[in-house]
Amino acid sequence: SQTWSAAAPGDPCGLNTVAPYGVNPVFNPSNAANAKALCQKLMGIGGAATFYAPGSIQPSGTSALWFVNAVGNPNVKPEDATTYTAGFVFQPRWEHPLLAGFSTSVDWYRILIKGMIAPEPGDAVYRACLSPESNPTFDVANEACQRIIRNPSTGGATAANVSYINAGFAKLSGVDVTFDWKLGIYRYEVANDILLLSTDINGFGFFQNAGATRHQGLDASIGYTKDRWHLGLSYSYLDATFRNALKLSSDSPAANAAGNIFVHPGDTLPLMPKSRITLTGEYLVAKAWRAGADLRMQSGMYLAGDQSNQEPKLPGYTTLDLHSSYAVSENWELFGEIENLFDRRYYTYGVFTE
């Protein structure tokens, strides 16, 4: 499988890296020259000449993103997990129309995992390649170096081949609290919200705390059943906004010459549609057979990178789904679904990039 990998010390082959095993002599005074020579071999002559050319734009020294290609490992051992859970469900029989649909559950859990299986991080491959402890002769034929892929034209970090390993011990614990009601109103404030922002290098980005944000809205639903028919209507409203004035890097056409946009309090967070509506109709064809349809509507939303709300939104859309189910027995049910019956083309994600 292929995913993104992030490295806190930046690209170890970049001149700005803070990696103690990288090519920056400030942080690797003993072996920076050896590491750079090895990086040049990984890039090839053309790629190295471009990457290290005078005046070339170097990657950030504190963060880097590249692909990791995760492959199987026949020597990995099974995880050993121990799970503890406890909880309760409260479902009163209140008759008041505003309270009749209320129920709540509280679940406590604790999971202890030994030998947790996870892909090794991409920077671990670079560390094994560039460190004298694991590659004392700085040999490009070293097993770890053979798993590093650099762009032969630009020299940039492209991918690293990693494997699954038993990464160590993990402990997960917490409490899940669930409230169910026919009408829910919520509001929560997030301090130091985290956003993925662009850089001036295509395909690269970094995470940044982006001040405070507010998410508020409501979820409402109503149902009606008569004879063989059931009708339902649900509506969700979300108002997700920035609460601070911010200067953020962006590839948006609205960015200034320095690649920055300016966010004002009250601007809407990207990829957050304000309204979602679902209209459901279902018919009991026979005692065990149901068939129905769902009409789904969603409003437009701003593209990722348009935190300042200066560009047109992704358009909203409407789709129609069909579903049917047949209860073979008390414990078995067959079902089928057709999503987007009319094959409508619509967009669920959009981002500004170079």
Side-chain angles (χ1 to χ4, degrees), residues 84-154:
Y84 305 91
T85 61
F88 67 87
V89 176
F90 177 58
Q91 191 171 6
R93 297 293 186 264
W94 291 329
E95 296 182 358
H96 192 284
L98 294 179
L99 304 177
F102 175 82
S103 67
T104 184
S105 64
V106 177
D107 296 293
W108 169 84
Y109 64 90
R110 185 179 186 186
I111 306 173
L112 306 176
I113 304 176
K114 297 179 181 179
M116 183 179 66
I117 299 174
E120 60 182 324
D123 62 307
V125 181
Y126 274 87
R127 180 186 292 271
C129 174
L130 300 177
S131 297
E133 293 82 4
S134 50
N135 189 7
T137 62
F138 293 91
D139 185 0
V140 72
N142 176 274
E143 182 273 338
C145 297
Q146 292 297 299
R147 294 192 282 142
I148 294 174
I149 304 172
R150 307 289 299 198
N151 189 307
S153 298
T154 66

Side-chain angles (χ1 to χ4, degrees), residues 186 188 215-222 232-240 269-280 295-302 314-319 346-349:
Y186 61 89
Y188 62 91
H215 301 247
Q216 60 185 359
L218 63 86
D219 296 315
S221 63
I222 188 172
L233 175 65
S234 63
Y235 174 71
S236 295
Y237 173 78
L238 171 62
D239 180 37
L269 273 69
L271 305 179
M272 296 285 182
K274 284 191 176 293
S275 297
R276 289 189 176 97
I277 302 174
T278 301
L279 177 62
T280 299
L295 183 67
R296 305 181 190 276
M297 292 168 279
Q298 177 176 301
S299 62
M301 55 187 177
Y302 291 104
L314 283 174
Y317 61 87
T318 300
T319 61
Y346 59 94
Y347 304 93
T348 60
Y349 183 84

Side-chain angles (χ1 to χ4, degrees), residues 204-238:
F204 286 79
F206 63 96
F207 292 97
Q208 174 179 312
N209 292 106
T213 59
R214 175 183 294 166
H215 301 247
Q216 60 185 359
L218 63 86
D219 296 315
S221 63
I222 188 172
Y224 176 75
T225 301
K226 181 176 177 60
D227 300 328
R228 293 176 174 268
W229 285 97
H230 173 77
L231 299 177
L233 175 65
S234 63
Y235 174 71
S236 295
Y237 173 78
L238 171 62

Side-chain angles (χ1 to χ4, degrees), residues 1-19:
S1 63
Q2 188 177 71
T3 60
W4 282 101
S5 177
D11 182 354
C13 290
L15 298 177
N16 298 322
T17 182
V18 299

Side-chain angles (χ1 to χ4, degrees), residues 198-200 247-251 254-262 354:
S198 65
T199 68
D200 53 2
K247 181 175 75 172
L248 303 175
S249 65
S250 173
D251 289 322
N256 62 15
N260 294 317
I261 57 174
F262 297 89
E354 292 185 346

Side-chain angles (χ1 to χ4, degrees), residues 20 24-25 27-34 132 138:
N24 189 343
F27 295 93
N28 186 15
S30 301
N31 292 293
N34 291 327
F138 293 91

